[in-house]
Amino acid sequence: MAQGSIGIFDSGVGGLSILAQIRRRLPEENILYFADQAHVPYGPRDMQEVREFSETITQYLIDGGAKIIVVACNTASAAALHYLRRKFPDTPFVGMEPAVRPAARTSKSLKVGVLATPATFQGALFESVVERFAHGVDVIEQTLPGLVERIEENDLNGPQTRAILKDKIVPLIDAGVDTLVLACTHYPFVIPTIEDLFGSSLVVIDPSPAIARQTERLLDENELRRDASAPGDVTYISTDDAYALVTMAVHLINTDGTSVLVNWDGRSLRQKKQN
Ligand code: DGL
């Protein structure tokens, strides 16, 4: 039985929504969580740039003992997942794809809204998901500029966050949407605010439990489960402020851990001591 860690990465705190589900399902596993907060948000960036960040982060996690990589970021999955699978053929990857399939099955109005970053909509991945799963259901794309930054600031329910959500979701409801796909891992943290604003007029599809199931499946398939009954450790790595990342993790998902600061040095990553 393997003893490596599950490596999870995102541009920031969004992937913590995935970490929480993985931890619930696989509590004995050690986890390395990498947040590239020096570069958040990824969404408005060039795909090539996000691919380069993703490759360097993946290499860093594998060098640090990751036995499987969870790309807990829709933007990075759209920009890099195929490339990473080719580049690191010995490592299993779990990636995010917009949950259009369950949404299309759920919607009664046959109109589904997808909330994601601009880069996620640009990728071939989104196009292929719509082609494979929309089946006569209208899929309406919506970006929410500024929302990822508000969530990074721990503003989950303040006036600015509420204004962004209202501004972007009301037109979807007016267009007949009854089902919303959260295709950015930051967004599950504002589900309570969405519910507060729109009550039962919307079904919200959060893919994070399915991602945790897929992670478990891949560990089993590759015989990579950790052979232990005690809970695993969580290490939080940030390219900006690792202490602040741990504080956010405790606040958002109630999971403490050790902090590690790494700095970008051109295109490579170097571990630092945080003061
Ligand atoms: N959490 C990310 C995603 O799922 C990235 C958001 C961003 O950095 O713009 O797309």
Side-chain angles (χ1 to χ4, degrees):
M1 288 278 179
Q3 297 296 338
S5 307
I6 298 179
I8 304 175
F9 76 90
D10 179 40
S11 59
V13 299
L16 295 174
S17 60
I18 305 294
L19 192 163
Q21 297 292 335
I22 289 178
R23 185 88 174 147
R24 184 170 303 166
R25 214 170 170 93
L26 301 159
E28 67 289 349
E29 294 291 341
N30 292 317
I31 294 178
L32 296 173
Y33 182 85
F34 191 112
D36 188 10
Q37 292 174 303
H39 292 137
V40 69
Y42 274 5
R45 288 178 186 273
D46 180 72
M47 301 286 259
Q48 175 64 30
E49 188 181 31
V50 174
R51 195 173 308 142
E52 283 170 18
F53 295 154
S54 302
E55 179 180 351
T56 307
I57 293 165
T58 298
Q59 186 67 65
Y60 176 90
L61 290 170
I62 291 173
D63 292 346
K67 59 188 174 184
I68 184 171
I69 300 287
V70 181
V71 185
C73 174
N74 287 80
T75 307
S77 296
L81 189 58
H82 284 310
Y83 175 79
L84 294 174
R85 285 191 169 127
R86 274 202 314 272
K87 185 91 198 177
F88 303 97
D90 299 332
T91 302
F93 282 85
V94 179
M96 307 294 306
E97 68 174 31
V100 169
R101 182 176 18 198
R105 286 183 180 155
T106 303
S107 175
K108 295 201 170 59
S109 65
L110 304 182
K111 284 191 186 354
V112 161
V114 179
L115 308 184
T117 68
T120 298
F121 289 127
Q122 276 164 40
L125 188 67
F126 182 67
E127 210 177 285
S128 108
V129 162
V130 172
E131 221 173 82
R132 280 179 291 147
F133 304 123
H135 299 313
V137 170
D138 270 356
V139 176
I140 305 179
E141 304 172 15
Q142 187 67 291
T143 60
L144 298 94
L147 185 60
V148 165
E149 291 90 323
R150 296 315 311 149
I151 294 169
E152 287 289 317
E153 293 294 321
N154 192 23
D155 172 10
L156 307 182
N157 190 26
Q160 281 174 280
T161 295
R162 292 176 78 88
I164 296 171
L165 291 169
K166 256 203 201 143
D167 202 42
K168 298 296 178 180
I169 297 175
V170 166
L172 296 176
I173 295 175
D174 289 347
V177 163
D178 65 352
T179 307
L180 267 191
V181 176
L182 303 186
C184 168
T185 53
H186 279 74
Y187 300 165
F189 293 119
V190 293
I191 290 176
T193 308
I194 295 175
E195 285 172 353
D196 183 37
L197 286 168
F198 303 106
S200 54
S201 47
L202 285 172
V203 176
V204 177
I205 309 270
D206 169 10
S208 42
I211 298 299
R213 284 197 298 277
Q214 173 68 359
T215 306
E216 182 177 33
R217 235 183 338 257
L218 271 188
L219 286 181
D220 284 341
E221 254 172 54
N222 292 279
E223 297 183 13
L224 287 173
R225 285 264 202 151
R226 178 166 182 245
D227 187 14
S229 51
D233 299 323
V234 182
T235 305
Y236 293 103
I237 306 150
S238 175
T239 53
D240 182 32
D241 181 343
Y243 293 149
L245 176 62
V246 176
T247 306
M248 277 294 270
V250 170
H251 173 71
L252 290 172
I253 60 166
N254 194 23
T255 305
D256 207 348
T258 315
S259 61
V260 174
L261 174 67
V262 296
N263 282 352
W264 285 99
D265 184 2
R267 290 178 174 200
S268 45
L269 288 164
R270 276 182 210 290
Q271 197 151 317
K272 290 267 157 156
K273 259 218 153 93
Q274 186 163 352
N275 297 313

